[in-house]
Amino acid sequence: MGKSLHPKVKEFKEFVRKHPKIVRDVRNGNANWQELFEDWYLLGEDDTRWDSYREAGAQNDEKVEDNNKSGWFDHVGELVKKMDANQLQSHINNISEVLGTVQGVISQFQSTPKGTAVTNEARSKPSHPFSFRKD
């Protein structure tokens, strides 16, 4: 659990901290960590590959402010645009089936069999296992 990272991985993490747009690209699906690390390792930090991330550094601050101003509603709109309708429908159908199954199981436990229904009279009288009579 206490393993230390390879020095090159530590350097790459520091490089990513300096260029936060890299994280955004990975989260948006435009890149993956393995490819970025390999490019960084082979090409170095000064390669032209990273120019788009460097130039965006000053613009990122403005974009972040604009995103905060636009609010969460625009963010939700962007997520809806990226959504795959068929995959979403498939997930909704799966959830619906699971809920139906859970409701069926719950209803089985809640219902009492007709032959064992207890009447109101039986509930009000205490049951006595031994009957004693006076002579």
Side-chain angles (χ1 to χ4, degrees):
M1 220 162 86
K3 289 184 179 180
S4 62
L5 294 175
H6 190 275
K8 286 293 183 182
V9 174
K10 290 180 182 179
E11 290 177 35
F12 179 68
K13 287 177 80 171
E14 188 61 35
F15 175 73
V16 170
R17 282 189 196 104
K18 292 177 188 174
H19 304 20
K21 190 168 188 274
I22 294 173
V23 176
R24 288 189 199 107
D25 277 355
V26 171
R27 288 181 181 164
N28 291 335
N30 299 333
N32 69 41
W33 290 116
Q34 183 66 38
E35 290 175 2
L36 290 171
F37 178 77
E38 289 172 1
D39 288 349
W40 174 84
Y41 188 78
L42 295 174
L43 303 174
E45 291 184 22
D46 299 326
D47 192 68
T48 57
R49 159 100 166 84
W50 311 113
D51 287 346
S52 61
Y53 298 113
R54 283 190 198 104
E55 294 170 3
Q59 296 172 358
N60 275 343
D61 295 337
E62 295 172 12
K63 287 181 182 179
V64 168
E65 289 177 18
D66 290 343
N67 285 342
N68 289 338
K69 290 178 185 175
S70 63
W72 65 272
F73 194 73
D74 292 334
H75 182 67
V76 170
E78 290 296 319
L79 289 176
V80 170
K81 287 179 186 176
K82 294 179 183 179
M83 200 177 340
D84 180 16
N86 292 330
Q87 189 177 18
L88 181 64
Q89 183 64 38
S90 172
H91 289 304
I92 290 172
N93 287 339
N94 289 342
I95 290 171
S96 177
E97 289 176 10
V98 168
L99 289 176
T101 303
V102 169
Q103 285 176 337
V105 169
I106 289 173
S107 67
Q108 285 179 352
F109 284 113
Q110 287 180 343
S111 66
T112 58
K114 292 180 182 178
T116 60
V118 179
T119 62
N120 286 339
E121 291 179 31
R123 287 187 193 143
S124 63
K125 293 182 181 179
S127 63
H128 295 288
F130 302 106
S131 171
F132 295 103
R133 296 185 201 177
K134 293 185 178 180
D135 287 338

